[in-house]
Structure formats: C-alpha cells, structure tokens
Amino acid sequence: MNIPSPADACPACSAPVGRENPRFPPLQRVTSDCRPWPAGGRLVVCPRCGMVHKPADEAFHAEIDAIYAGYAIYHQSGGAEQRSFDTDSGIQSARSARLIGRLGDALRLPNQGRLLDVGCGNGATLRAFSAIRPGWTSVGTELDDRHRAEVEAIPGASFAAGPLTGIDGRFDLVTLIHVLEHIVEPIDFLRTLAGVIAPGGHLLVEVPHHPDNPFELLIADHRSHFTTATLPFALATAGYEVDIVTDGWISRELSVVARPATGPAALPGVDPDRAAAVIDGSLDWLRRSLGALVALEQADRPLGMFGTAIAGTWLVASSHAAVSFFVDEDPHRVGRSHLGRPILAPAAVPPGSAVFVGLPPQAAAAVAQRLATPTVAWIAPPP
Ligand SMILES: [Zn+2]
C-alpha cells in the first residue's frame, strides 16, 4: 500500500494526495524568468478542492532552490535577458497603473492610508499607487536588497528586505502581485498576512489565470495554479472574506480582493472534475501548438518566433524546430538575443519568413492580424 507523503498534500485544503496528470512529466518546462527547464515535473489536481498544483516533494524543493539561485546570479550580472515585464519597460508600468486604477475605483480608497506591497520587485506597483494616492505611505518588501534604492526613491515609500516578521504596524491595503503562485504553503502565508491588515483593510492578490494561458502550467517554480474557483477557496480557507473575483482587470490574470473575515468564512463551491478537464485540454493544446510550429519548417524559408517570454521560450526550446530568430515589440528586448538567437523588431523580419506567434490562441490571433504584411506569414497556433 502506498502511504501518501505529506509533501503531496494539497496547498489549499491539505487533502493528502492529488490526481497526477500523466501527460505532464514528459513535457519540458520553463522558469518564471524565462529560461528553459528540463522535463520531469509533476502536475496534480486536488480531488477535494480542484486546486491544480505541483507537489512540494524533495525534487520540487531542489528545483526551486536552483531556479532562485539562478535568478540572483542572473540579475547580479546585469542580465541582458532581463525580465522586462517586471523591470524597466513601459509595458510593466502601464500594466501596474491599469491594475491599481481598477483597484482604486473598486475600493474607493481614501486619500490617506498605508500600503504594503509584498514582493515589490523594483516598485512598479508602489509607483503606480503613489501616482493615484499621493497621500498614502507605503512599504515594499523583497527577499533581497537589489531594488532598495529604486523603491526608496518613490514618494512616501520605504523598503524592507526579508520576511514579514520585521514589518511594523498594520496596513489599509496589502498587495500580493505575482507572489502567491510561488509560495510553497500559501494558506499559512495568507494567515500570517491577515495579521498585518488593519481593521477595514483589504488584500489584493494578483496571479496568472491558467485557463486563459496554458503556458503558465509549464512554469517549474509555480507551486499553485489558481482559477476563479480555487483562489477564493484558498482565501476562504485562510480566513478571508472575498469581495471581488475577476479575470477582467488584466488579460490572462486573475485579480481577487479580500479582507480578513470577522466570523467563520463560508467556503465557495469547487469542481475537481472540471479542473482536471481544463488541464487535459490545456496540455493537449500545448502539444498541438508544438506540432504546428514544427510543421512550419521548410528548407528555404526562415522561421521566427514572436515573443521572448514564457511561451516563446518554451516553444523554441522544447520543439527543437529550426527557429532562427525571435521577434518582439518590446524595445528593451529588440537588438539583444534569446536562446542564442537574435531578437528582431517586427519591421525587421526578413521577407519570405514565417513567424509563429507564441501566445495563447486569442492573443495570438490578434497579433497575427495586426502585424499582417504581404511578405511575412504570421502564424497563430491552433484554436
Ligand atoms: Zn485541495
């Protein structure tokens, strides 16, 4: 008889063992900073709450240690392959401003208060918040000091490196932007966070929404893959009341606003069978997309990949297709290289090329249509 390991427990409801998806282990993966990562991971669906996750077994811990150690080295080197969307690009600023604008409207935030941004990066969220509520003070936290000076230059902001235990006082708003999916024990983490939320205060959780973006399942260091069902379930389990659940604020992302519950929180309904079916569909689509890319190879025609982030990285690294260049619209990336291939602006793609648009179906179709030219074939993945 197999005795389940505690490491296999569901991160949301602690059910002892999940349903393994047998199609996942053979797939190559990527890291959240867009490096290819070998096959061999596990992806399971909790039979009790439907939470899609990677069991936190010994192999998972060893992998995330290696991935985060690589992050540090990579950034210390001044990284040519920067996480543009998380660092200096206008794209990131626009995204943060949009998210904070939506949140400010929804919560009717007062003109004064205290904000805590956990995992603040270089301060994109704090900067966007300071612009709409200049009367607030804020604290940003990160695991290391790399972005201290940038964060402290934001009006009203201070910076704290390390765990939450060093944070003084309570906050009217706590933001957790692309953090919770990395946390090995998210319920414990959310419970700790509730202790720094002031009475009447709120928590914003922003995570990827994998049903809109199958590539997200391939990120080796994402422990949890949330949906509009499982994130509210996790928050309720951790003692929160959920006020807003939406996948409409930022495309392919999930935004949830919650506050510590004053009484026992009611658990929302869940559907593990549906969650498993979504994963099956996503993994099947990924397989078909790889096939579509390989089918574009022709001896006389240059082949390119649009997108240098998670999707483009995975498609090129795991298809072994003869892709000779990347294409990106981010000016911070054009002129650099990725996976040993040059990154071209769309206008610089050689005539006669085919370019595979490495994005989820709807976004890919829109890009292929927008960039359409008579001399280059822009190919979206299958629907
Ligand atoms: Zn569960």
Side-chain angles (χ1 to χ4, degrees), residues 104-379:
D105 291 347
L107 291 184
R108 298 187 189 169
L109 294 169
N111 288 327
Q112 298 204 317
R114 291 190 82 207
L115 165 67
L116 172 66
D117 185 32
V118 178
C120 66
N122 73 345
T125 303
L126 294 170
R127 208 169 285 115
F129 194 88
S130 163
I132 67 158
R133 289 293 183 278
W136 283 51
T137 58
S138 61
V139 177
T141 74
E142 258 303 336
L143 298 176
D144 60 49
D145 264 335
R146 204 167 54 222
H147 294 298
R148 175 184 286 276
E150 272 170 285
V151 171
E152 288 180 343
I154 298 166
S158 59
F159 178 86
L164 289 175
T165 44
I167 304 288
D168 287 332
R170 293 193 175 199
F171 296 85
D172 304 293
L173 179 63
V174 175
T175 51
L176 210 51
I177 316 289
H178 293 292
V179 170
L180 196 63
E181 65 272 27
H182 292 267
I183 304 289
V184 174
E185 299 295 349
I187 302 300
D188 289 349
F189 182 75
L190 289 168
R191 283 187 178 133
T192 302
L193 218 47
V196 301
I197 299 176
H202 289 87
L203 170 69
L204 167 69
V205 183
E206 184 79 5
V207 293
H209 188 226
H210 74 81
D212 294 336
N213 182 11
F215 297 105
E216 196 264 327
L217 297 170
L218 302 162
I219 299 176
D221 47 315
H222 283 185
R223 153 82 153 140
S224 302
H225 303 275
F226 294 103
T227 64
T228 52
T230 53
L231 182 52
F233 180 88
L235 282 159
T237 303
Y240 287 79
E241 269 181 65
V242 175
D243 292 324
I244 299 170
V245 180
T246 177
D247 57 1
W249 283 0
I250 302 287
S251 66
R252 304 193 290 279
E253 296 187 9
L254 181 55
S255 313
V256 174
V257 178
R259 61 202 143 83
T262 47
L267 291 180
V270 292
D271 187 345
D273 289 336
R274 181 168 152 64
V278 169
I279 296 303
D280 278 338
S282 291
L283 297 183
D284 182 57
W285 180 83
L286 289 166
R287 185 187 56 76
R288 288 188 291 118
S289 295
L290 276 183
L293 171 61
V294 171
L296 289 178
E297 287 180 310
Q298 287 178 17
D300 307 342
R301 181 170 71 168
L303 179 58
M305 173 62 62
F306 179 94
T308 56
I310 297 297
T313 301
W314 182 77
L315 285 161
V316 169
S318 62
S319 69
H320 303 292
V323 172
S324 51
F325 59 91
F326 281 96
V327 183
D328 206 297
E329 294 183 290
D330 181 346
H332 292 92
R333 297 189 178 196
V334 169
R336 298 183 184 274
S337 67
H338 185 51
L339 307 183
R341 295 158 173 92
I343 305 173
L344 310 179
V349 172
S353 301
V355 179
F356 191 79
V357 183
L359 289 171
Q362 272 191 323
V367 167
Q369 193 175 22
R370 180 163 57 78
L371 296 179
T373 49
T375 56
V376 175
W378 301 87
I379 314 285

